Amino acid sequence: VFFWGDYEPYATKILARLVRPGDVAIDVGANVGAFTAAMARAVGPDGRVVSFEPYPPARKRLERTIALNGLSNVEVSAEAVADAVAPVVLVDYGPGFESWSTLAPREIEMAKGTKVAPIGRTVVACTTLDQALVARGIDRVAVLKIDVEGAEGRVVAGARELLAAGRVEVLLLEVSDNTLEADGTSARVLLRSLAELNLAVHELEGAALRPFRPVGRVDRLVHAVALTEAGARRLSSSPGAG
């Protein structure tokens, strides 16, 4: 934050670069709204951002971010997003760890070998992206960002119709076996599901995209960018491409 002005500067910048005025963008696991704000500015007054944040303390800060930035093109939803329309148990780690709320809890190892265990459990409403976007009359999404602390596979499964039809051009999601294994899946399984949906997956390395073809366990946190053919064209024609 001190050097770049953001927690994830390259990820937010590439999304803002890929989003264009008038687009629809979706933020699943919006937290306090860093990605939401960047995308809302990029889509402009004729565009639309839908941000899902089920954890109340984080959602309160998200709404504050939207208000402070004067963003009138953002819809905030209190629903979790997964692979079924049914109540789910959202687990949290308490004050100071609001960004870690998840449907896939685990003990998180900190510096010096200490671990943080989940302490709170709240039943929240849950939807799928396939269902949520139909309900909102949205048939095409320019950019979909997913950061749900290990439950990314569930979100992708619940957006299968949307993704199979190629109606999401660019997908940004966090990939790590350290989080995915807590939900009974893996980076390899998630990447295979994206490939089956005709998405080409890349890794964001600094400001550049590289093909993402991991061998073995993915121990690090990867910002994966998955592109349809339309998404690849969008990337190639974006400012700074090449």
Side-chain angles (χ1 to χ4, degrees):
V1 174
F2 180 82
F3 288 105
W4 301 105
D6 200 343
Y7 287 106
E8 299 172 301
Y10 294 119
T12 53
K13 285 178 181 177
I14 194 169
L15 284 194
R17 195 181 97 192
L18 289 167
V19 176
R20 298 169 182 166
D23 278 342
V24 174
I26 308 295
D27 191 350
V28 177
N31 192 23
V32 299
F35 286 90
T36 288
M39 293 191 294
R41 292 191 191 99
V43 303
D46 294 328
R48 183 179 183 184
V49 177
V50 182
S51 298
F52 294 88
E53 179 48 63
Y55 187 47
R59 189 170 64 254
K60 182 177 180 180
R61 294 180 182 180
L62 168 64
E63 291 168 344
R64 181 65 172 158
T65 296
I66 292 167
L68 287 172
N69 285 274
L71 302 172
S72 60
N73 55 355
V74 180
E75 175 193 345
V76 175
S77 173
E79 293 173 302
V81 178
D83 54 356
V85 179
V88 292
V89 176
L90 182 71
V91 175
D92 69 83
Y93 293 80
F97 303 105
E98 289 86 355
S99 66
W100 292 350
S101 63
T102 182
L103 304 182
R106 63 189 176 95
E107 282 195 335
I108 299 175
E109 189 167 349
M110 304 290 285
K112 300 180 181 178
T114 60
K115 293 184 177 181
V116 178
I119 61 172
R121 288 169 173 78
T122 307
V123 176
V124 299
C126 183
T127 188
T128 67
L129 281 178
D130 283 336
Q131 175 68 28
L133 299 194
V134 166
R136 289 168 171 80
I138 296 172
D139 61 4
R140 180 162 293 276
V141 175
V143 174
L144 166 60
K145 169 254 173 182
I146 305 171
D147 181 1
V148 288
E149 299 298 318
E152 284 80 7
R154 297 196 210 183
V155 180
V156 169
R160 193 165 185 86
E161 291 181 13
L162 185 73
L163 294 169
R167 293 189 285 122
V168 175
E169 293 188 19
V170 179
L171 170 60
L172 172 74
L173 70 166
E174 290 194 344
V175 175
S176 172
D177 281 319
N178 292 328
T179 57
L180 291 167
E181 286 175 352
D183 204 36
T185 187
S186 67
R188 180 170 295 184
V189 170
L190 179 56
L191 294 176
R192 186 189 307 127
S193 70
L194 295 175
E196 290 171 352
L197 293 165
N198 297 315
L199 290 160
V201 185
H202 302 76
E203 176 181 0
L204 184 61
E205 293 183 347
L209 287 178
R210 307 284 185 239
F212 184 36
R213 302 186 184 96
V215 176
R217 192 173 185 277
V218 180
D219 289 315
R220 56 201 171 87
L221 182 64
V222 174
H223 279 116
V225 179
L227 305 169
T228 61
E229 290 184 4
R233 290 193 296 270
R234 176 181 287 264
L235 177 65
S236 66
S237 63
S238 67

